[in-house]
Amino acid sequence: VQLQASGGGLVQAGGSLRLSCAASGRTFSRYYMGWFRQAPGKEREFVIGINRSGGSTHYADSATGRFTISRDNAQNTVYLQMNSLKPEDTAVYYCAAAERSMFGQRWSRYAMDYWGKGTLVTVSS
């Protein structure tokens, strides 16, 4: 599967952004989907994930209460809605797909099978 993230940009602290990740290739609904981010000088970290049907989500502490993930399997797209953005949210955001079930598993970057090119989110103070 090929993944393409979009929607990044510059936003002021407290603002919102919606990222999209379009998938092509194999059947989108067979994948668990996740968003990860990598800030300058830091390792890539998990942000939020969603199961194949969209009925179950998993959040990193940094995302809880501010970020929401959703997917549209008919449109082969997963979304990341980010609200109440903070300067520390500044990072390159990547979408990723896992073929295996992530139920009960740790959402590590090493568990993901496919990655899209990232989209830069910059939050100004």
Side-chain angles (χ1 to χ4, degrees), residues 9-81:
L10 174 64
V11 62
Q12 289 188 332
S16 298
L17 273 179
R18 188 193 196 203
L19 306 184
S20 299
C21 175
S24 60
R26 304 183 73 180
T27 306
F28 178 65
S29 60
R30 67 185 290 159
Y31 300 104
Y32 278 69
M33 298 298 298
W35 287 94
F36 292 71
R37 69 185 182 186
Q38 188 166 16
K42 295 188 176 181
E43 292 190 352
R44 192 170 300 186
E45 65 176 4
F46 169 70
V47 177
I48 198 167
I50 192 166
N51 72 344
R52 295 180 176 115
S53 68
S56 178
T57 55
H58 187 77
Y59 296 75
D61 290 344
S62 59
T64 302
R66 300 189 300 126
F67 294 1
T68 303
I69 188 171
S70 61
R71 67 189 296 164
D72 184 339
N73 286 342
Q75 297 296 322
N76 293 346
T77 304
V78 62
Y79 304 97
L80 173 60
Q81 177 67 44

